[in-house]
Amino acid sequence: MTQATPKASAGSTVLVIGATGKHGNTGAVVVDRLIAEGRHVRVLTRTYGERADELRQRGAEPVLGDLHDRSTLSAALQGDESAVYFTYPVAAGVIPAAANLASVLVESGQRPHVVVMSMAASSHTHPSKLGSAQAVAEEIFTWAGLNPTILRVAALFHENVLILHAKSIREDGVIANSFGSAKVSWIAGRDAAELAVPYLLQPPPSGPVVSYPGGAEALSHAEIAEIISAETGRKIEYRPISQQQWRGIIESSSNDDGPVNTAMAQHISSIGAGYANGKAPVKPADPDALAAILGHHPVTFTEFVREHRDEFAGVLT
């Protein structure tokens, strides 16, 4: 992480994109932390639905806008933003989304601090198509002269286990994927979100900043299964399968409007195969370093399971 710079003036507005997301839900955590810091927070939302209402009740100001419809963004960006938090679903479309946002910011003459929640797979040469697309999206912000801060979090979110495996865990007592015996770095979505908040309180840097924050712990999926077994009292087994098999399983239950979609299937199955084939993580898990940044101990996977025990155990309320 780079050295902190002075905070922007109190009362500045921050536009949060992705606060109504359904994956790691980092945007909603960012909203809460910024409001606690006394910032006025606008939340970009495509519709005024239940999730937008919840954010309004917590003190945010929802504004209508769609990253894939440039004409809607000028009204959402009202010219007083000191920072913009940009996170995009694990889904196709990040390049036009980044281009539309950057275009409107440049046209308006605004230069807020753009903080991007990215992924360690962000690379032109990564086998994940979403990883290579993310790299281009980040370049767009840089080419636009916005000097973004890019957080390529080098860990999988705990929430991935529920999103991708909850059904098979509840119904069959099985986790099956292409990661094999590899140990993977893990982080809670809310801890990842907290990494972005200090940057959103700072003016833009003089040049683009790219950081690779590490995770809280390294666990194989067999160890993940053991933790779930211990916490739920049910025997959960891990079964390694091929990249093609896992991609097909994900695609069979995908919905391109939801967190599980065909682009995600290609993305996560290719990452799993990379780990299984000996690809080292970008940065090893370091809970002490993460705790020093967060100011508190990061959430462990065991703690995550305890918080979501009913979802893992199949006792849904």
Side-chain angles (χ1 to χ4, degrees):
M1 305 292 280
T2 59
Q3 185 176 359
T5 54
K7 287 186 180 181
S9 59
S12 298
T13 296
V14 180
L15 177 67
V16 175
I17 295 169
T20 57
K22 299 176 181 178
H23 188 182
N25 204 20
T26 64
V29 175
V30 168
V31 168
D32 288 340
R33 298 296 185 269
L34 290 171
I35 290 174
E37 290 283 341
R39 295 309 195 259
H40 177 217
V41 179
R42 290 197 186 97
V43 172
L44 189 73
T45 179
R46 287 184 294 175
T47 60
Y48 286 138
E50 181 179 348
R51 294 178 73 84
D53 287 340
E54 291 174 358
L55 290 164
R56 182 184 289 109
Q57 292 170 7
R58 281 146 60 177
E61 176 195 356
V63 291
L64 286 178
D66 185 342
L67 289 172
H68 291 285
D69 184 351
R70 187 187 182 282
S71 66
T72 68
L73 297 179
S74 294
L77 287 159
Q78 298 177 23
D80 60 348
E81 291 84 10
S82 64
V84 175
Y85 176 71
F86 179 87
T87 185
Y88 195 82
V90 185
V94 68
I95 293 175
N100 284 333
L101 177 60
S103 175
V104 171
L105 287 171
V106 170
E107 182 180 65
S108 67
Q110 295 184 61
R111 292 294 186 273
H113 188 180
V114 177
V115 178
V116 180
M117 179 59 66
S118 183
M119 58 179 76
S122 176
S123 167
H124 295 144
T125 59
H126 200 282
S128 162
K129 293 180 180 178
L130 294 186
S132 59
Q134 182 72 31
V136 175
E138 293 164 11
E139 285 181 327
I140 289 169
F141 291 124
T142 299
W143 295 336
L146 295 169
N147 293 339
T149 293
I150 299 164
L151 303 178
R152 293 179 181 166
V153 178
L156 295 183
F157 286 5
H158 294 160
E159 289 81 358
N160 280 358
V161 180
L162 277 177
I163 290 169
L164 293 167
H165 300 297
K167 186 173 185 290
S168 66
I169 289 170
R170 291 194 299 263
E171 295 181 358
D172 306 314
V174 170
I175 297 173
N177 62 38
S178 60
F179 280 89
S181 61
K183 283 185 177 288
V184 181
S185 185
W186 294 91
I187 192 170
R190 67 175 181 259
D191 285 341
E194 288 190 26
L195 295 172
V197 173
Y199 290 108
L200 291 164
L201 299 174
Q202 300 169 12
S206 58
V209 173
V210 178
S211 178
Y212 285 88
E217 59 191 330
L219 296 166
S220 69
H221 279 82
E223 290 170 322
I224 290 288
E226 289 174 1
I227 290 170
I228 298 171
S229 298
E231 293 299 321
T232 62
R234 299 177 60 232
K235 177 60 178 174
I236 308 301
E237 175 189 358
Y238 174 65
R239 295 177 186 169
I241 58 177
S242 71
Q243 176 181 352
Q244 293 73 22
Q245 286 176 301
W246 193 28
R247 179 174 177 176
I249 290 170
I250 300 171
E251 288 178 340
S252 68
S253 60
S254 68
N255 174 355
D256 283 346
D257 289 328
V260 179
N261 55 76
T262 55
M264 182 193 216
Q266 191 278 331
H267 167 74
I268 194 65
S269 63
S270 66
I271 289 177
Y275 272 93
N277 292 331
K279 177 177 168 53
V282 173
K283 187 173 183 178
D286 189 341
D288 292 336
L290 186 57
I293 297 168
L294 296 172
H296 59 77
H297 190 76
V299 177
T300 66
F301 187 74
T302 297
E303 291 167 339
F304 177 78
V305 175
R306 288 172 183 168
E307 292 175 11
H308 298 271
R309 184 179 282 111
D310 287 353
E311 294 168 82
F312 283 108
V315 184
L316 299 179
T317 56

